[in-house]
Amino acid sequence: LAKTTQPISMDSYEGQEVNITCSHNNIATNDYITWYQQFPSQGPRFIIQGYKTKVTNEVASLFIPADRKSSTLSLPRVSLSDTAVYYCLVASVMIYNQGGKLIFGQGTELSVKP
Amino acid sequence: GAVVSQHPSWVICKSGTSVKIECRSLDFQATTMFWYRQFPKQSLMLMATSNEGSKATYEQGVEKDKFLINHASLTLSTLTVTSAHPEDSSFYICSARDVGSRTEAFFGQGTRLTVV
């Protein structure tokens, strides 16, 4: 499994766009990049997943450069309720197909201030 | 999205007793479920992989006799913390994957275990 590196913490203000970058230098050809959000005392919640270029859903955008050695989760116009820990995971599609395990890194604690 | 439900959400038990935590996939079948433990201000640590109809696979350092896992059906896995001690107090989270989904894992809401 490719190891990921994220900033430990980030601060932002309401209404700002927040970009969290994750490094995964050893990403393999079959690996997907997935981001999860976790609030205190809750299980992680799926945010977005991508393989290359850009992916956008109703919650966030995910930017992946051509070399795929990093990815950036973009949260538009954050609110106080976006205060949470964000995890970047890299795992092979084979892991998903075969029920393989997901290993979490340390995550980024995002604090949104009024 | 799919729903994974854990029960109970929180439990307090006396040292030396055993506690069972249930993890259910409510609207999909999960051949594989995962159990994680999370201490305050730390990331999720994978404890074991629970496979329906077979023995669980434990991560290195996790005592299989202490953390008993049973995955009797495609929608239910249980984790029993045997002879619990205060150091077992933690947040336990299960995860399940839909056999029909290639890309997404779903997580339960977690169980807060406090051993007194």
Side-chain angles (χ1 to χ4, degrees):
Chain A
L1 294 173
K3 182 179 178 181
T4 60
T5 303
Q6 305 173 232
I8 294 176
S9 64
M10 292 182 68
D11 291 332
S12 182
Y13 291 93
E14 281 191 294
Q16 289 187 332
E17 177 185 76
V18 171
N19 296 307
I20 306 174
T21 298
C22 178
S23 296
H24 27 80
N25 292 317
N26 298 322
I27 190 168
T29 302
N30 291 330
D31 286 345
Y32 278 75
I33 301 157
T34 310
W35 286 79
Y36 284 87
Q37 175 192 55
Q38 186 183 28
F39 296 112
S41 297
Q42 293 187 28
R45 183 176 74 99
F46 174 89
I47 301 175
I48 198 166
Q49 184 181 70
Y51 183 79
K52 62 181 179 180
T53 63
K54 176 183 175 182
V55 180
T56 297
N57 61 22
E58 64 277 7
V59 177
S61 294
L62 178 60
F63 298 93
I64 305 169
D67 65 4
R68 304 201 324 123
K69 293 184 182 298
S70 67
S71 59
T72 299
L73 173 71
S74 181
L75 304 173
R77 298 183 61 79
V78 294
S79 63
L80 296 176
S81 62
D82 292 317
T83 294
V85 178
Y86 293 82
Y87 293 97
C88 162
L89 281 78
V90 174
S92 167
V93 64
M94 295 303 295
I95 282 182
Y96 293 98
N97 287 344
Q98 298 174 6
K101 52 192 179 185
L102 292 178
I103 304 298
F104 283 77
Q106 63 181 26
T108 297
E109 186 171 10
L110 172 65
S111 177
V112 180
K113 300 182 171 84
Chain B
V3 177
V4 174
S5 177
Q6 273 184 250
H7 178 79
S9 296
W10 59 271
V11 58
I12 302 173
C13 71
K14 291 184 177 181
S15 185
T17 61
S18 296
V19 173
K20 181 184 286 188
I21 302 170
E22 292 186 348
C23 178
R24 294 181 183 272
S25 56
L26 296 185
D27 52 0
F28 67 97
Q29 294 183 331
T31 55
T32 305
M33 291 184 177
F34 308 91
W35 288 94
Y36 295 83
R37 179 168 54 182
Q38 186 175 34
F39 293 107
K41 296 294 185 181
Q42 293 187 22
S43 183
L44 286 75
M45 183 190 77
L46 181 66
M47 299 175 66
T49 302
S50 167
N51 297 297
E52 187 264 337
S54 63
K55 291 183 178 180
T57 303
Y58 291 82
E59 295 298 305
Q60 189 174 8
V62 178
E63 301 175 57
K64 62 180 181 180
D65 294 330
K66 181 169 185 60
F67 299 99
L68 301 179
I69 292 174
N70 182 274
H71 192 160
S73 75
L74 286 173
T75 59
L76 174 64
S77 176
T78 61
L79 168 68
T80 301
V81 183
T82 63
S83 187
H85 292 286
E87 56 266 30
D88 298 323
S89 297
S90 187
F91 192 55
Y92 292 87
I93 306 169
C94 72
S95 172
R97 183 159 297 115
D98 187 341
V99 294
S101 171
R102 292 184 56 191
T103 60
E104 189 169 340
F106 304 99
F107 290 81
Q109 73 270 35
T111 298
R112 174 74 59 192
L113 170 63
T114 303
V115 185
V116 297

